Amino acid sequence: MSAQETVSALPARAGEWMQEAIRLATDSVARGGGPFGAVIGRGEEIVATGTNMVTTNLDPTAHAEVTAIRNACLALNSFKLDGCVLITSCEPCPMCMASALWARVDRIGYAADRDDAAVAGFDDRAFYELFTDPDAVWPTPVRRIEAGNRTEPFDAWRNKADRVEY
């Protein structure tokens, strides 16, 4: 897919929304937050916005994209954001990409990339590589702990007649 096809796949207002995401990111820096901003749009409207609040909220998951997703879900009273687009001032890190996938956003557009972020001291490239290199050594050991009742929560879920599928 060419760059032009990628741009045309985004809504007509994507350029305006990108400028808003960049403005939010820049304002976040002035308020003591990180230099990241995000917008969730649907149709012609901005549904919600978010900025990086990692240091201000003492929450390592409070990236701009995750904050915008949380705000959009509250605004739309839904945990699914199908029909929405995520516009973010910087390429989403693996956590933010996974969050956007779980939220079921239709499309994602970003301005700065991971290399631009690295120059500013936000080097997530090692995280991207962990997910693409099958032989990568993870900095945090992840091990399964044997538990005989490990499927009990899933059994309860499957047997719950009024569960909300996601």
Side-chain angles (χ1 to χ4, degrees), residues 26-61:
T26 304
D27 289 352
S28 176
V29 173
R31 289 189 319 276
F36 302 93
V39 170
I40 302 280
R42 183 171 71 178
E44 295 296 312
E45 302 297 321
I46 291 177
V47 173
T49 64
T51 59
N52 182 287
M53 302 176 77
V54 170
T55 58
T56 55
N57 286 7
L58 305 177
D59 179 355
T61 69

Side-chain angles (χ1 to χ4, degrees), residues 58-103:
L58 305 177
D59 179 355
T61 69
H63 288 199
E65 298 89 341
V66 173
T67 302
I69 289 167
R70 290 173 180 161
N71 292 339
C73 288
L74 289 173
L76 296 174
N77 196 34
S78 176
F79 58 86
K80 292 183 181 179
L81 297 178
D82 43 349
C84 293
V85 61
L86 169 63
I87 303 294
T88 181
S89 63
C90 187
E91 181 179 6
C93 74
M95 176 185 71
C96 292
M97 274 302 302
S99 297
L101 291 170
W102 274 109

Side-chain angles (χ1 to χ4, degrees), residues 3 17 19 28 32 41 44 47 51 85-86 89 102-105 108 110 112 128 137 143-145 150 154 158:
W17 294 347
Q19 290 308 306
S28 176
E44 295 296 312
V47 173
T51 59
V85 61
L86 169 63
S89 63
W102 274 109
R104 312 294 199 279
V105 298
I108 300 169
Y110 65 90
Y128 291 99
V137 176
R143 301 290 181 265
R144 181 175 179 177
I145 299 171
R150 72 179 182 271
F154 297 119
R158 281 195 318 274

